[in-house]
Amino acid sequence: MNNQQQIQVLFRKYLTGDYSPEELDILLDYFQLERDDHTLTARLVEELQSDIAPEKIPAITKLADGIGQRIFEQVHAPRKKSISMLRRIAAAVLLIGFIGSGILYYYNYNSNLKQRELVSKYGDDVMPGSMRATLITDDGSEVSLDQAQTGIRVAQKLQYSDGTPLQISPTKYATLKTPNGGQYRVELADGTVVWLNAASSLRYPLTFDGVQRDVTLTGEAYFEVSHQNGKPFVVHANGQYVKVLGTKFNINDYDGTIPGVTTLLEGKVEIESKATLQKQVLTPGQQAVVSKQSIQIKAVPDVSDFAAWREGYFIRTAVTLSEIIPELERWYDVTFEIGSQPSARAYIALNREAKLSTILDALTLNYGVKFKIEGRRVVVME
């Protein structure tokens, strides 16, 4: 049983009152709550132990909102959040979705112990993305990469991260390409590590022989660049060049997406616009928004939010529904159809391993809209 499954089991036991003090401590510690915070859910426990009536749903929803407010206050406390903290916040936000609109799951679990999968009220559910990618050589040969592997690396030749050789034709360049609903990791010949997000591609040489290390990116990737004196690392993206010596940064620059965004976590990078040839230098905590007209530099309170996808989370502050939808479309390989756009902005912390229905529960709570899943189409209803 992994950690997430253990927490789910403990939460179910907590709802029924069948838990030990030690189990309660584990649960509260996971969500970083004080022991007296469990009184918030006392009424929820009482309601869930009896048959639910329609008139009781508003009270339960209000209770979930109360928990959500506490999490919101914790999130916006004036201190730096670590990735560990972000994991717990994301889990807690999903917990709210479970309480507020996932009650059907609890009752299905109690009434039929064999039925442990979430029954989606939106229609057929959609599973999240996974480790999926294709490797393409110069001659056009393609290899579908093993989904059970954690990534690939360039050593004497191309191989999986565990050393298993890749059966591929000889090539000077390779292109790692992920579909919608896929992501993958590659360690380049110089030791640079790149995490490639969904619907993205990275073209790179098997050896860096020139005066600089050049790669070409379409889409989104997180880079941890190995330092080499006098040999800069240059990313050629759709609307920009990013030149570095050794650093950690995230680039989001999908084909046809204007503007492209580069977020710097560590080190220093130089951004050059392909359209205007304007150059700007980024320092840690800054973000460059590159359009066809200019490069805009802005400070970002939590730059780690923009790289949290490689840790398994969508995390954004003060984001609208329309701003988060493109990421969900790429990861779940679906298309959203939305009429009038809700103007509300919300703090979003979503687990990329969750089913789409669980994500929609959280979005409903944050934006007050309803959804319907029709195959690979998600209809947003007012």
Side-chain angles (χ1 to χ4, degrees):
M1 180 184 299
N2 61 34
N3 191 44
Q4 185 178 7
Q5 291 171 329
Q6 180 191 24
I7 293 300
Q8 290 173 347
V9 169
L10 290 179
F11 185 64
R12 294 188 195 112
K13 294 178 71 174
Y14 174 62
L15 290 178
T16 60
D18 181 23
Y19 61 88
S20 68
E22 292 78 14
E23 289 172 330
L24 177 59
D25 285 338
I26 293 172
L27 191 62
L28 295 178
D29 178 68
Y30 184 80
F31 293 113
Q32 290 199 338
L33 300 175
E34 299 298 330
R35 177 171 281 275
D36 60 358
D37 276 327
H38 75 278
T39 59
L40 275 173
T41 56
R43 186 173 179 187
L44 177 63
V45 173
E46 180 182 348
E47 298 293 352
L48 289 176
Q49 287 176 337
S50 60
D51 291 335
I52 189 167
E55 63 269 16
K56 294 181 179 180
I57 293 177
I60 295 175
T61 302
K62 183 177 180 180
L63 180 60
D65 289 342
I67 299 173
Q69 179 61 32
R70 289 200 176 194
I71 293 173
F72 181 86
E73 291 168 355
Q74 182 182 26
V75 166
H76 289 80
R79 65 178 185 272
K80 184 174 179 63
K81 301 189 291 293
S82 65
I83 285 293
S84 176
M85 169 71 79
L86 294 178
R87 285 196 187 102
R88 295 187 179 197
I89 290 171
V93 171
L94 285 177
L95 172 63
I96 296 171
F98 173 78
I99 295 173
S101 52
I103 297 169
L104 177 62
Y105 173 71
Y106 177 83
Y107 277 94
N108 283 339
Y109 181 85
N110 267 2
S111 61
N112 183 359
L113 293 178
K114 293 182 180 179
Q115 183 178 351
R116 296 173 184 257
E117 292 296 322
L118 178 66
V119 177
S120 171
K121 55 183 173 290
Y122 305 105
D124 293 338
D125 214 338
V126 178
M127 297 300 291
S130 60
M131 296 290 286
R132 291 194 292 135
T134 301
L135 194 65
I136 306 170
T137 60
D138 282 343
D139 64 3
S141 300
E142 297 188 12
V143 174
S144 294
L145 297 175
D146 190 341
Q147 297 184 39
Q149 292 282 349
T150 59
I152 59 175
R153 63 189 177 100
V154 181
Q156 297 295 327
K157 54 184 179 180
L158 283 167
Q159 57 188 234
Y160 287 108
S161 297
D162 66 358
T164 303
L166 270 165
Q167 302 302 321
I168 195 167
S169 57
T171 185
K172 289 185 177 180
Y173 283 84
T175 299
L176 181 64
K177 186 176 182 179
T178 56
N180 283 335
Q183 66 178 29
Y184 225 77
R185 175 183 181 275
V186 57
E187 181 179 340
L188 304 180
D190 64 342
T192 293
V193 182
V194 185
W195 286 261
L196 200 61
N197 207 348
S200 303
S201 67
L202 182 76
R203 186 174 187 267
Y204 57 92
L206 268 63
T207 58
F208 292 107
D209 296 325
V211 296
Q212 63 185 30
R213 297 167 286 166
D214 294 278
V215 299
T216 301
L217 170 71
T218 296
E220 183 171 17
Y222 173 80
F223 293 80
E224 291 189 355
V225 177
S226 175
H227 179 77
Q228 288 190 7
N229 286 326
K231 196 169 185 177
F233 188 96
V234 180
V235 181
H236 300 251
N238 284 302
Q240 59 185 311
Y241 302 105
V242 180
K243 182 178 180 180
V244 304
L245 291 176
T247 188
K248 298 179 181 180
F249 60 98
N250 192 84
I251 299 178
N252 186 316
D253 198 349
Y254 281 90
D255 188 18
T257 300
I258 300 296
V261 178
T262 297
T263 307
L264 183 62
L265 283 76
E266 294 181 13
K268 183 182 291 186
V269 301
E270 179 186 82
I271 309 294
E272 180 180 351
S273 168
K274 288 185 176 181
T276 66
L277 302 183
Q278 177 187 1
K279 295 182 180 180
Q280 293 278 6
V281 174
L282 282 187
T283 56
Q286 290 185 325
Q287 186 177 79
V289 181
V290 183
S291 68
K292 291 183 178 179
Q293 292 76 36
S294 65
I295 300 177
Q296 293 183 333
I297 307 297
K298 61 181 182 180
V300 180
D302 290 295
V303 290
S304 60
D305 289 359
F306 293 86
W309 61 266
R310 72 184 182 92
E311 298 281 345
Y313 299 94
F314 301 103
I315 298 178
R316 290 290 186 273
T317 300
V319 68
T320 64
L321 180 61
S322 61
E323 289 170 339
I324 196 69
I325 278 178
E327 294 186 62
L328 299 178
E329 288 182 324
R330 289 190 290 265
W331 185 238
Y332 288 93
D333 192 16
V334 296
T335 300
F336 279 75
E337 293 187 5
I338 183 169
S340 58
Q341 300 277 0
S343 59
R345 291 185 175 272
Y347 178 87
I348 295 296
L350 305 172
N351 190 329
R352 282 164 61 99
E353 295 182 1
K355 293 181 180 179
L356 181 58
S357 58
T358 305
I359 301 298
L360 298 183
D361 283 343
L363 296 181
T364 296
L365 287 171
N366 278 285
Y367 297 107
V369 294
K370 297 180 180 180
F371 301 90
K372 182 179 181 181
I373 301 176
E374 298 177 346
R376 288 286 169 179
R377 194 165 63 103
V378 181
V379 180
V380 183
M381 302 177 292
E382 297 181 2

